[in-house]
Amino acid sequence: MKNNSVIFEKPPINDIALKDCDFQHTIDIPGVSSGHMKGLKTEQFPEGEPTPYDIRKGVNELLGYVDLKNKTVLNLGQSNGFLSFHAEKQGATDVTSIDLDIKNVNYTEPYKNRDVVPRVKCNWQEELKGLMKEEERRRNAYWYTHKALNSKAKLIHAHACDLPRDLGVYDISILYTMLVHIRDPYLALQNMLRHTGEKVIIIEVGGYTRRASFRNIIRNLIRRIMPPSPPAMIFLPCPERTPFKWWKLSPEIIVNMVNTLGFEKTSVNYHAQLTEGGKIFLYTVVCERTVPIEDCNYG
């Protein structure tokens, strides 16, 4: 059942300590020399461990070089808020993040809260509880940075497949490695795009062989004369994996999905971002609305 009203999460009344935060993405915080540290569990800050993802230098590539100035932005799954705060820094006029409630998780009915894979031979409930402890620390990092930057960004509780009816329409939507975690990625896209007026930016993991690197020059030349790759979704769950990843999606299937939802002009770029100890390879699909939203029958 669709929610009828938007519920905004309120900032915590008490100050949050850095030791209670987990910055999944490196972020610069004024007055804190190493505020972009992970796992701040002691008072030895700022000598903590570095965060696993640092997209500061590659953020324009990550976002497909879309101009966010004077745009309203809807960001699905903000983690510690890097992209939401970046959008504000770039001049976005209104930024709203969507994430799940971390306080009212019902472990007996996980699909109401988290898209957990119920692997029958595994104690996935305990894995979910462990994830929620990490999520609490990441939410702390969001609010810590929100206050430090004097941010006006808003945060609402909702699942992408069950968005509030009165969420409104935003110019730009961002989905940063979110479809991999959602059991029904098409329904999530349908719901996000019915609230998107101009463009949606979809980032997923993959595309190592398609980057414009010296190693891939010949491979990419051959690919140009070969038939295009077929749209594909690979089902990821297995006993060896954590129960929080569902799909590996090709750029082609994302393009097909958004085409059916009124976004028929698309572009794809491949890039690498820094991580703790190496790089992660991703692709970005920028999708532009071609069918006016008032003419779309989203149901």
Side-chain angles (χ1 to χ4, degrees):
M1 181 180 296
K2 291 291 181 187
N3 297 320
N4 291 321
S5 59
V6 175
I7 301 175
F8 292 100
E9 182 173 352
K10 296 180 180 179
I13 298 176
N14 300 323
D15 289 338
I16 295 172
L18 279 171
K19 64 182 180 65
D20 296 324
C21 299
D22 184 345
F23 292 87
Q24 189 179 24
H25 294 89
T26 302
I27 187 167
D28 296 317
I29 301 177
V32 182
S33 60
S34 298
H36 41 73
M37 310 304 276
K38 179 180 184 293
L40 303 172
K41 301 176 182 178
T42 72
E43 296 298 324
Q44 296 177 351
F45 182 83
E47 288 80 21
E49 300 175 4
T51 55
Y53 302 105
D54 187 351
I55 60 176
R56 290 175 297 173
K57 292 183 179 179
V59 65
N60 291 330
E61 198 173 26
L62 182 90
L63 294 176
Y65 302 98
V66 173
D67 187 2
L68 302 179
K69 187 175 182 180
N70 297 323
K71 300 295 184 180
T72 56
V73 174
L74 188 62
N75 180 24
L76 178 65
Q78 95 295 334
S79 185
N80 60 272
F82 179 91
L83 289 180
S84 294
F85 303 137
H86 173 78
E88 282 190 310
K89 185 177 179 180
Q90 296 304 305
T93 57
D94 182 15
V95 179
T96 298
S97 297
I98 302 171
D99 215 331
L100 298 173
D101 193 349
I102 62 171
K103 299 176 181 178
N104 299 313
V105 176
N106 185 342
Y107 295 107
T108 62
E109 299 179 278
Y111 295 125
K112 292 185 177 181
N113 304 281
R114 304 271 161 175
D115 282 1
V116 184
V117 182
R119 301 166 303 161
V120 297
K121 293 183 179 181
C122 303
N123 190 347
W124 51 267
Q125 291 91 342
E126 286 301 314
E127 293 175 290
L128 175 58
K129 292 179 181 179
L131 173 70
M132 293 313 301
K133 292 180 180 178
E134 296 178 9
E135 290 291 277
E136 289 177 7
R137 292 173 56 81
R138 291 170 187 164
R139 190 63 54 84
N140 285 342
Y142 171 82
W143 287 120
Y144 182 94
T145 310
H146 190 280
K147 181 177 181 179
L149 297 179
N150 194 27
S151 171
K152 301 299 187 294
K154 299 184 288 292
L155 173 62
I156 68 169
H157 289 150
H159 192 289
C161 294
D162 189 26
L163 296 177
R165 290 184 180 276
D166 60 357
L167 179 59
V169 176
Y170 290 75
D171 298 324
I172 310 290
S173 287
I174 302 172
L175 292 83
Y176 177 25
T177 61
M178 289 305 302
L179 297 180
V180 62
H181 299 294
I182 298 176
R183 184 174 56 160
D184 189 339
Y186 186 83
L187 179 58
L189 279 175
Q190 178 181 344
N191 279 288
M192 286 293 293
L193 297 190
R194 72 191 300 168
H195 296 285
T196 305
E198 297 180 9
K199 294 179 180 179
V200 59
I201 305 167
I202 303 170
I203 305 110
E204 286 293 327
V205 175
Y208 171 77
T209 60
R210 303 194 189 188
R211 291 183 65 234
S213 64
F214 178 77
R215 177 179 293 182
N216 292 332
I217 287 177
I218 301 301
R219 184 182 290 160
N220 290 333
L221 286 174
I222 294 174
R223 182 177 287 112
R224 290 181 181 179
I225 62 175
M226 297 294 288
S229 300
M233 287 175 62
I234 299 175
F235 186 67
L236 294 178
C238 65
E240 293 76 25
R241 291 182 180 271
T242 60
F244 311 116
K245 294 182 180 180
W246 285 87
W247 308 102
K248 180 179 180 181
L249 297 94
S250 70
E252 291 78 16
I253 199 166
I254 290 177
V255 168
N256 280 14
M257 288 179 177
V258 298
N259 281 351
T260 67
L261 294 167
F263 290 72
E264 300 167 310
K265 185 177 180 180
T266 58
S267 62
V268 183
N269 71 293
Y270 304 90
H271 48 94
Q273 300 294 333
L274 298 176
T275 68
E276 182 179 336
K279 294 181 179 179
I280 184 171
F281 298 92
L282 306 110
Y283 64 84
T284 298
V285 187
V286 176
C287 320
E288 185 173 345
R289 177 177 288 283
T290 55
V291 182
I293 196 167
E294 60 271 16
D295 295 336
C296 288
N297 180 13
Y298 288 118

